[in-house]
Amino acid sequence: MMLVTYLPRLLPWIVLTERPLHPLLRRFLLYIPYTALGALIVRGAMEAPSGMALATLVGIGVSAACSWVKGGLVLSVSASIIAVFLMLS
């Protein structure tokens, strides 16, 4: 089972490692962290209970600020989680 799931990830990496990407494709791939952030954070914010409106806005604001300044998805989501945790505790 591991081979079945690992092989489709390994083959493109081996084939495309030395190949330069087209500038338009490279630019498109740079936007993926922002779209993933939108899918993760904003969807969760829309489904949040009504009593947590302030914590929701703080989470969205922190994640947007971290994404704008640093640009990393993991840092943005982690900072948002920590900010909401501190807000609720």
Side-chain angles (χ1 to χ4, degrees):
M1 188 67 173
M2 182 186 90
L3 184 64
V4 172
T5 59
Y6 188 68
L7 197 59
R9 296 175 186 169
L10 180 67
L11 286 176
W13 181 70
I14 291 173
V15 172
L16 299 175
T17 299
E18 296 298 321
R19 232 174 143 175
L21 292 176
H22 189 271
L24 185 63
L25 179 62
R26 181 178 295 263
R27 188 171 151 208
F28 170 75
L29 291 174
L30 289 175
Y31 289 116
I32 288 182
Y34 300 109
T35 56
L37 180 68
L40 292 172
I41 301 296
V42 176
R43 180 171 180 251
M46 297 299 174
E47 296 175 353
S50 60
M52 296 187 183
L54 184 60
T56 301
L57 291 175
V58 167
I60 290 174
V62 168
S63 65
C66 284
S67 180
W68 181 265
V69 172
K70 193 68 175 165
L73 178 66
V74 175
L75 177 67
S76 300
V77 172
S78 300
S80 172
I81 290 169
I82 291 170
V84 170
F85 175 77
L86 292 175
M87 182 94 181
L88 293 177
S89 62

